[in-house]
């Protein structure tokens, strides 16, 4: 769209864009989307599937393998060359599938993290993905929002925008709506807002003028096209480890080749070409098998699939490194309202007719019962009168669009829901008792009054702070009878009010007054000599699922701190209900925190469970104190001012419902339902993902060590090669392929949240992993060579036995990662068991079909299989026994501490 919209007035802009204040129709928006395209900055350097496929054959190790194929052809080993070629292609296809899936998963992640925009369509306010915006759309902008496209302002209220990302100007730009002169620069277009800039103050309506690559930021998009995909710390470590392993492996394989050739020379005084080529091919195949080339793709897939699972559990990961950090998190600093609680005020208690009544039900769902305390008989009629005042002196509305939602003040919403629980219908009541006048709430009077026509008479219904209401009352209604309000009555009501307040309930008092036909609609006239009816006490109740999540956190060694802007009393009451606050725990207010020096805060930081009445600046200070102690901290936030704390936290968590765009942009993770339980789910997933990657690394390296030892020890002893090149490559394809990938696909163990968080600096190749690799490698190597020796080492049968034994060893090895006390849960190990079955079937196909000629092996008998299984299962028994012993030792040390 080429016009200078900043030089046109609002009417001219709307006319030029063929739109109106009611926005576009759905049909017009769809037509314009087809015409102008989606509203996003194009990523020009997108990798193609062909490039991914070609990339599988460009690594150094594959180039060596291709050279081995050429050498095989030159020395006349055509069959070997063909089989190696097929295995190379199969490896390439498998690598392509892995990498292509990883690319697709990351692309899906980008789509999940797309920003939303509020837009007027068909005269209705709706929320859509910002990429669906088109020129002519009317958008709503508010503090903390990110501008989704270039737009001309048409309505503003004290509106300022941070345009530093576009213009470099550090001071926010104050906006206007009047037209400006032609020919001015972007920096001076004060009636325009531009894609990617951030609203710092006020709210506005604007009409979109340009989208996608036609926006100002789109015009300079080439500058950001060169940005490379960032690797996570784990990916960087594994990449470096892979390079180191590659060098070491090639060195070992060179030694294998050198020792083999030297041994022949020392034995017979010459080096045969056929033997040298066989040794060379075996050394190359060993190098290919030993280097876990699939590791980067498996890591990416594990991370991406984990992110996808987290999104289903309402935790949207914006930065992949966050997945790793989640597994280390040992402190969660959480907001109270909406995260630990439902953010739905609920009436819990009613006081009427000198009786206290409990109200059941949670949130805005209109289901619940009224239960009298003690032996009092419930007088439904007078409860209904109190509830009727609450529902009529009320401006809120309750809607059910998939979930119950209040439109209006949450406190009034609680009163509305409590009345609906008793069977009231607001529309019917408003029809029978129409509102004819009102005196709105103000902070000085601390009450609200509505006046209704009741049976041709007028009556005032009043609600407000109990102490204020009582000062305006002269009478009290008990069981339908009006009597003088005594000092004793007032004292009793105020004591009840205090008891409720001590339970962190917010209390409102209710009263009424019959009015004459010619009443004066002034507070002084209407709000005096009132008749007191009762109290309603409410609270924002805790989410049901949070209590279980907190228990899971405690078991997992994660501490929880509540940080809230609410009162200390309220925060403590909610924390106690959730099991977060116990005897001896401390709570601090923002004022108390201000009086503490940094040194004093450092000393007591780990003893404080609740921070109340705090500001975003306090959050940063709390965060710094915890990090100084070496803790890994996750922190929640939703406002613009929370951005510094979210950025500084190890895991910044923004609210998806109440959070501003600024908070979301600063965060590592967004909770789509604002629910604390989603944080705990994300920590669990983070631990599971890291564990899957660790298992894959351990499995691959331990199995590869076994392969190296089988060949290397046989050469040192002076035996013929137990495995030739094509057999080594087949073992690698069969065992590193599907079983290795399945480790990242099956659900992780639920026991993962019974362990303390891992240390951030913990190496994925830990001492325990090294021990496991050595045990597996030596058991596998010695067991395979034992079988090779027992069948005479010289025959094809001996090589067939060694070949199959090594594969079965590795399949028993992978099964230990899903076993617990020698048992495997089939339900949670379907992918792994399926991959093992497929691998066995593929080996049977090689053994018992004409393929055995190409692999230079012979079929095996039943007795041979029994021997193979008996020897191979020793690895399973050793590893499971070791796990049981280590678990026993760990539980004993925990009990002792």
């Amino acid at each position: 769209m080429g016009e200078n919209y900043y030089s046109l007035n609002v009417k001219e802009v709307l006319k030029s864009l063929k739109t109106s204040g009611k926005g576009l129709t759905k049909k017009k928006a769809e037509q314009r989307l087809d015409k102008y395209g989606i509203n996003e900055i194009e990523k020009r350097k997108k990798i193609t599937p062909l490039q991914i496929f070609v990339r599988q054959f460009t690594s150094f190790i594959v180039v060596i393998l291709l050279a081995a194929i050429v050498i095989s052809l030159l020395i006349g080993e055509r069959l070997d060359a063909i089989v190696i070629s097929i295995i190379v292609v199969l490896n390439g296809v498998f690598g392509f599938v892995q990498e292509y899936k990883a690319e697709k998963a990351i692309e899906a992640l980008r789509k999940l993290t797309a920003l939303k925009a509020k837009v007027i369509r068909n005269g209705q306010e709706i929320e859509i993905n910002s990429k669906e915006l088109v020129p002519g759309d009317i958008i709503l902008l508010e503090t903390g929002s990110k501008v989704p496209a270039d737009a001309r302002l048409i309505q503003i209220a004290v509106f300022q925008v941070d345009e530093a990302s576009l213009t470099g100007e550090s001071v926010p730009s104050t906006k206007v709506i009047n037209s400006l002169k032609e020919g001015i620069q972007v920096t001076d277009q004060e009636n325009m807002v531009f894609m990617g800039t951030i609203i710092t103050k006020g709210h506005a309506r604007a009409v979109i003028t340009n989208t996608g690559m036609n926006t100002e930021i789109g015009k300079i998009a080439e500058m950001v096209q060169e940005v490379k995909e960032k690797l996570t710390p784990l990916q960087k470590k594994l990449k470096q480890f892979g390079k180191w392993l590659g060098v070491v492996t090639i060195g070992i394989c060179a030694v294998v080749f050198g020792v083999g050739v030297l041994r022949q020379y020392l034995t017979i005084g010459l080096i045969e070409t056929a033997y040298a080529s066989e040794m060379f091919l075996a050394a190359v195949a060993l190098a290919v098998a030993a280097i876990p080339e699939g590791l980067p793709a498996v890591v990416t897939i594990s991370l991406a699939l984990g992110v996808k699972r987290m999104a289903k559990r309402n935790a949207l990961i914006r930065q992949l490194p966050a997945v790793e950090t989640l597994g280390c998190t040992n402190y969660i600093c959480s907001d109270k309202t909406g995260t630990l609680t439902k953010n739905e005020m609920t009436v819990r208690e009613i006081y009427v007719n000198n009786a206290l009544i409990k109200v059941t039900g949670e949130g805005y769902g209109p289901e619940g019962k009224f239960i009298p305390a003690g032996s009092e008989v419930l007088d439904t009629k007078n409860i209904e009168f109190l509830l009727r005042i609450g529902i009529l002196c009320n401006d809120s509305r309750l809607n059910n669009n998939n979930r119950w939602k209040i439109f209006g003040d949450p406190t009034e919403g609680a009163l509305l829901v409590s009345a609906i629980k008793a069977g009231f219908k607001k529309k019917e009541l408003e029809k029978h008792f129409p509102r004819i006048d009102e005196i709105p709430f103000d902070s000085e009077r601390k009450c609200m009054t509505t006046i209704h026509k009741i049976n041709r008479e007028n009556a005032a219904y009043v609600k407000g702070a109990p102490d204020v209401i009582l000062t305006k009352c002269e009478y009290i209604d008990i069981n339908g009878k009006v009597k003088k309000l005594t000092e004793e009555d007032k004292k009793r009501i105020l004591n009840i009010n205090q008891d409720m307040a001590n339970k962190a309930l917010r209390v409102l008092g209710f009263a009424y007054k019959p009015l004459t036909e010619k009443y004066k609609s002034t507070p002084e006239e209407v709000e005096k000599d009132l008749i007191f009816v009762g109290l309603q006490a409410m609270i924002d109740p805790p989410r049901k699922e949070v209590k279980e999540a907190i228990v899971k956190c405690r078991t997992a060694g994660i501490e929880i701190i509540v940080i809230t802007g609410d009162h200390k009393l309220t925060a403590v009451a909610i924390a106690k209900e959730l099991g977060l606050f116990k005897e001896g725990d401390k709570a601090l207010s923002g004022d108390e925190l201000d009086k503490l020096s940094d040194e004093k805060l450092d000393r007591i930081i780990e003893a404080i469970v609740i921070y109340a009445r705090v500001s975003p600046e306090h959050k940063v200070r709390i965060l710094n104190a915890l990090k100084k102690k070496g803790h890994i901290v996750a922190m929640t936030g939703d406002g613009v001012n929370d951005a510094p704390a979210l950025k500084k936290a190890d895991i910044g968590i923004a609210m998806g419902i109440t959070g501003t765009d600024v908070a979301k942009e600063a965060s590592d993770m967004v909770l789509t339902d604002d629910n604390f339980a989603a944080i705990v789910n994300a920590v669990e997933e983070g631990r599971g993902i890291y564990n899957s990657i660790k298992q894959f690394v351990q499995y691959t390296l331990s199995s590869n060590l076994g392969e190296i030892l089988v060949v290397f020890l046989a050469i040192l002893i002076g035996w013929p090669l137990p495995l030739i090149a094509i057999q080594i490559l087949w073992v690698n394809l069969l065992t590193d392929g599907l079983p290795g990938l399945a480790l990242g696909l099956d659900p992780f163990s639920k026991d993962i949240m019974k362990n303390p968080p891992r240390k951030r600096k913990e190496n994925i190749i830990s001492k325990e992993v090294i021990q496991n690799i050595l045990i597996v490698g030596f058991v596998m190597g010695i067991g395979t060579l034992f079988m090779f020796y027992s069948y005479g080492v010289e025959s094809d049968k001996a090589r067939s036995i060694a070949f199959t034994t090594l594969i079965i060893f590795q399949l028993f090895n992978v099964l230990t990662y899903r076993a617990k006390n020698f048992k495997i849960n089939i339900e949670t190990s379907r992918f792994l068991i399926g991959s093992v079955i497929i691998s066995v079937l593929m080996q049977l196909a090689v053994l018992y079909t004409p393929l055995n000629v190409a692999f230079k092996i012979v079929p095996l008998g039943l007795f041979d299989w029994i021997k193979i299984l008996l020897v191979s299962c020793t690895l399973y028994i050793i590893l499971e026994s070791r796990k049981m012993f280590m678990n026993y030792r760990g539980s004993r040390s925990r009990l002792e501490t």
Side-chain angles (χ1 to χ4, degrees):
M1 310 287 287
E3 289 196 54
N4 292 329
Y5 294 102
Y6 61 82
S7 65
L8 305 177
N9 63 39
V10 171
K11 282 186 179 179
E12 289 169 337
V13 171
L14 294 174
K15 186 178 178 182
S16 174
L17 290 164
K18 296 177 182 174
T19 187
S20 70
K22 292 183 178 179
L24 300 172
T25 62
K26 186 181 177 184
K27 188 178 179 182
K28 278 186 180 177
E30 286 170 355
Q31 288 170 348
R32 294 191 187 193
L33 192 61
D34 289 336
K35 182 178 178 181
Y36 298 109
I38 60 174
N39 176 40
E40 67 177 6
I41 304 301
E42 293 171 13
K43 293 175 177 61
R44 301 191 198 284
K45 294 204 170 185
K46 195 174 180 181
I47 191 165
T48 65
L50 180 62
Q51 286 173 312
I52 294 172
F53 185 71
V54 170
R55 201 157 64 187
Q56 307 309 310
F57 303 96
T58 57
S59 68
F60 175 66
I61 205 73
V62 175
V63 170
I64 293 175
L65 207 50
L66 294 173
I69 293 168
V70 173
I71 291 168
S72 297
L73 289 169
L74 290 174
I75 62 174
E77 296 286 347
R78 290 179 61 192
L79 191 58
D80 275 9
I82 291 167
V83 174
I84 293 171
S85 299
I86 291 168
I87 291 173
V88 168
V89 171
L90 284 173
N91 262 319
V93 168
F94 184 72
F96 165 76
V97 170
Q98 282 185 316
E99 209 167 319
Y100 184 71
K101 277 185 176 178
E103 286 288 332
K104 284 288 180 189
I106 288 168
E107 192 62 36
L109 174 60
R110 288 195 191 104
K111 288 177 184 175
L112 281 171
T113 55
L115 290 174
K116 305 283 185 184
K118 289 179 181 175
V119 62
I120 306 292
R121 293 260 177 97
N122 296 317
Q124 298 288 318
E125 180 186 326
I126 58 171
E127 191 174 62
I128 62 172
N129 280 334
S130 59
K131 69 177 183 179
E132 295 170 17
L133 293 169
V134 294
D137 263 328
I138 306 296
I139 54 171
L140 307 178
L141 302 168
E142 55 193 18
T143 303
S145 297
K146 198 171 190 180
V147 179
D150 288 2
R152 169 70 158 86
L153 293 164
I154 59 175
Q155 189 180 320
I156 62 172
V158 195
F159 200 61
Q160 291 185 343
V161 182
D162 179 357
E163 295 180 343
S165 59
L166 182 68
T167 65
E169 181 61 53
S170 58
V171 179
S173 170
T174 301
K175 295 297 180 178
V176 297
I177 58 170
N178 54 286
S179 58
L180 305 170
K181 64 181 181 181
E182 286 271 7
I184 58 176
Q185 297 297 314
V186 169
T187 48
D188 297 319
Q189 292 173 17
E190 293 172 346
N191 56 11
M192 298 286 294
V193 286
F194 302 100
M195 185 184 211
T197 57
I198 292 165
I199 317 306
T200 58
K201 190 175 184 181
H203 54 89
R205 288 192 179 206
V207 57
I208 290 178
T209 55
N210 289 298
T211 58
M213 296 303 286
N214 294 319
T215 61
E216 290 298 326
I217 207 162
K219 292 171 188 174
I220 55 172
E222 294 299 329
M223 296 179 188
V224 295
Q225 292 299 334
E226 299 301 318
V227 176
K228 292 182 180 178
E229 195 72 49
K230 285 184 180 178
L231 295 176
T232 75
L234 178 61
Q235 285 172 319
K236 287 176 185 173
K237 279 182 190 174
L238 289 175
K239 193 176 181 181
Q240 290 165 356
F241 174 74
K243 285 179 182 176
W244 174 83
L245 185 66
V247 171
V248 170
T249 302
I250 290 168
I252 291 170
C253 294
V255 170
V256 167
F257 173 72
V259 169
V261 171
L262 182 64
R263 177 169 284 281
Q264 188 185 50
Y265 180 76
L266 293 172
T267 305
I268 62 173
L270 60 90
I271 301 170
E272 295 172 338
T273 306
Y275 182 75
S277 64
E278 185 182 22
M279 284 301 303
F280 174 75
L281 290 174
V284 169
L286 208 55
V288 173
I291 297 172
E293 285 206 292
L295 187 56
V298 168
V299 171
T300 306
I301 289 170
S302 295
L303 288 170
L305 289 178
V307 166
K308 201 173 176 183
R309 284 197 302 269
M310 286 186 200
K312 287 180 181 175
R313 299 177 80 180
N314 301 314
L316 184 56
I317 298 295
R318 297 187 67 256
Q319 309 289 344
L320 274 183
V323 178
E324 298 166 34
T325 313
L326 279 165
C328 313
T329 302
N330 65 345
Y331 261 85
I332 299 174
C333 297
S334 175
D335 285 323
K336 178 185 70 69
T337 305
T339 307
L340 296 173
T341 64
K342 292 173 73 73
N343 198 18
E344 296 179 0
M345 292 295 283
T346 307
V347 172
R348 283 273 183 91
E349 293 182 358
I350 286 174
Y351 177 74
V352 65
N353 301 326
N354 291 332
L356 196 63
I357 296 154
K358 303 283 183 185
V359 185
T360 65
E362 300 288 344
Y364 293 147
E367 298 87 24
K369 295 178 181 178
F370 298 86
I371 303 166
S375 59
E376 295 95 341
V377 178
L378 180 62
D379 191 326
T380 309
K381 183 181 175 184
N382 279 312
I383 281 188
E384 287 180 352
F385 185 35
L386 173 66
L387 298 176
R388 190 171 79 197
I389 296 172
I391 199 172
L392 287 172
C393 185
N394 193 317
D395 292 323
S396 66
R397 290 281 183 274
L398 180 67
N399 279 358
N400 184 13
N401 187 12
N402 296 325
R403 62 186 287 259
W404 292 102
K405 189 175 180 181
I406 285 291
F407 291 88
D409 181 76
T411 301
E412 290 194 335
L415 302 175
L416 173 61
V417 171
S418 74
I420 295 173
K421 285 176 183 177
F424 281 119
K425 293 180 180 175
K426 187 167 186 179
K427 284 185 179 178
E428 287 183 11
L429 282 175
E430 287 176 335
K431 189 176 178 182
H432 287 105
F433 310 111
R435 186 186 298 188
I436 57 173
D437 202 352
E438 67 179 274
I439 305 170
F441 175 87
D442 68 51
S443 55
E444 286 185 18
R445 288 171 32 253
K446 293 185 179 178
C447 65
M448 170 185 174
T449 299
T450 55
I451 298 166
H452 301 264
K453 181 69 73 174
I454 301 172
N455 299 327
R456 297 183 182 180
E457 293 181 357
N458 299 329
Y461 288 166
V462 188
K463 73 170 188 286
D467 54 335
V468 172
I469 294 293
L470 280 172
T471 61
K472 297 175 184 288
C473 289
E474 288 293 326
Y475 307 94
I476 184 169
D477 188 310
I478 298 176
N479 295 321
K481 295 177 180 177
V482 177
K483 66 165 199 168
K484 188 75 174 170
L485 181 69
T486 64
E487 286 302 317
E488 190 180 328
D489 291 329
K490 286 184 181 180
K491 189 177 179 181
R492 184 177 63 254
I493 293 165
L494 288 172
N495 284 338
I496 294 290
N497 174 49
Q498 189 59 48
D499 289 343
M500 290 174 166
N502 288 341
K503 290 182 272 188
L505 296 172
R506 183 179 181 188
V507 190
L508 288 179
F510 297 83
Y512 75 102
K513 177 184 177 180
L515 296 174
T516 61
E517 191 69 34
K518 297 180 180 179
Y519 69 91
K520 287 184 181 179
S521 185
T522 62
E524 295 78 16
E525 183 66 30
V526 173
E527 294 170 353
K528 69 174 185 178
D529 299 331
L530 301 179
I531 303 166
F532 183 82
V533 177
L535 305 171
Q536 290 200 58
M538 63 202 74
I539 198 169
D540 179 13
R543 292 177 182 265
K544 286 181 181 177
E545 61 274 26
V546 167
K547 203 164 189 175
E548 185 186 335
I550 287 167
V551 171
K552 198 183 276 188
C553 275
R554 290 269 164 84
T555 308
I558 300 168
E559 297 295 330
I560 300 158
I561 290 177
V562 180
I563 300 180
T564 180
D566 212 336
H567 294 280
K568 191 196 285 189
L569 194 65
T570 307
V572 168
I574 292 293
K576 280 181 177 176
E577 196 167 336
L578 288 168
L580 265 176
F581 196 87
K582 56 188 186 297
E583 197 72 38
D585 286 338
K586 292 180 181 177
L588 278 185
S589 69
D591 289 340
E592 290 168 332
L593 184 59
D594 286 332
K595 292 172 186 174
L596 289 178
S597 66
D598 288 343
E599 292 75 22
K600 180 71 184 293
L601 181 61
D602 289 344
R603 285 199 299 272
I604 66 169
I605 187 76
E606 291 170 325
I608 302 163
V609 176
I610 293 168
Y611 295 88
R613 306 301 279 176
V614 296
S615 66
E617 290 76 21
H618 288 132
K619 281 189 172 186
V620 175
R621 193 174 172 212
I622 295 162
L623 186 62
N624 287 337
L626 285 168
K627 290 182 80 171
K628 204 183 284 184
K629 291 276 187 180
H631 297 300
I632 309 300
V633 187
M635 181 167 279
T636 66
D638 54 12
V640 175
N641 293 337
D642 286 329
L646 293 176
K647 276 278 187 189
K648 199 154 192 168
D650 296 290
I651 296 285
I653 304 168
M655 301 296 111
I657 298 171
T658 58
T660 60
D661 287 346
V662 173
K664 290 173 189 174
E665 286 285 307
S667 70
D668 302 290
M669 184 168 91
V670 177
L671 302 184
T672 56
D673 63 349
D674 292 8
N675 191 339
F676 177 83
I679 304 174
V680 183
N681 292 340
V683 170
E684 189 174 17
E685 287 285 352
R687 288 188 179 192
I689 291 163
Y690 187 86
N691 209 43
S692 295
I693 294 168
K694 187 176 179 179
Q695 286 178 348
F696 177 82
V697 171
Q698 184 172 303
Y699 165 68
T700 306
L701 296 183
S702 60
S703 294
N704 291 354
L705 178 62
E707 293 168 28
I708 290 171
L709 288 174
V710 166
V711 175
F712 188 59
L713 291 175
I715 291 169
L716 285 178
I717 294 167
W719 292 345
L721 284 174
L723 302 168
I724 58 174
I726 53 175
Q727 291 169 355
I728 293 169
L729 293 172
W730 181 252
V731 171
N732 188 51
L733 179 70
L734 219 59
T735 58
D736 279 9
L738 290 174
L741 184 61
L743 285 174
L745 294 176
D746 278 324
F748 48 82
S749 168
K750 293 299 173 189
D751 290 344
I752 208 156
M753 289 296 277
K754 291 181 181 177
N755 302 316
R758 62 183 172 82
K759 303 292 181 188
R760 175 177 260 175
K761 292 182 180 178
E762 179 191 301
N763 201 322
I764 199 162
I765 314 293
S766 61
K767 183 182 174 183
E768 186 189 332
V769 170
I770 291 169
Q771 288 173 355
N772 186 280
I773 289 169
L774 291 173
I775 291 168
V776 171
F778 278 99
V779 171
M780 201 178 282
I782 291 165
T784 303
L785 288 174
F786 168 76
M787 292 295 284
F788 184 55
Y789 174 76
S790 65
Y791 278 81
V793 303
E794 297 287 346
S795 65
D796 285 342
K797 180 79 175 275
R799 187 169 277 167
S800 304
I801 288 286
F803 177 42
T804 306
T805 301
L806 188 59
I807 286 171
I808 303 302
F809 254 130
Q810 295 197 20
L811 295 180
F812 269 118
N813 182 22
V814 81
L815 286 172
T816 62
Y817 292 99
R818 288 290 178 269
K820 185 180 179 183
N821 299 333
F822 292 92
K823 295 176 185 175
I824 296 173
N825 186 329
I826 295 172
E827 187 63 33
T828 58
S829 308
R830 286 178 294 180
F831 283 109
L832 187 65
I833 292 168
S835 69
V836 168
I837 291 168
I838 291 169
S839 296
V840 170
L841 291 174
M842 287 171 74
Q843 179 63 8
L844 291 175
V846 165
L847 281 166
Y848 299 106
T849 69
L851 284 171
N852 56 23
V853 177
F855 280 88
K856 298 177 182 176
I857 53 175
V858 295
L860 304 177
L862 178 62
F863 189 64
D864 299 326
W865 274 104
I866 291 170
K867 276 184 173 180
I868 288 168
L869 289 170
L870 285 172
V871 170
S872 302
C873 76
T874 57
L875 181 63
Y876 186 83
I877 294 165
I878 289 167
L879 292 179
E880 281 304 293
S881 300
R882 180 173 179 264
K883 272 199 283 185
M884 288 179 73
F885 173 72
M886 290 185 74
N887 288 339
Y888 170 74
R889 193 171 67 177
S891 60
R892 276 200 67 178
S893 65
R894 280 196 295 272
L895 283 170
E896 285 168 7
T897 54

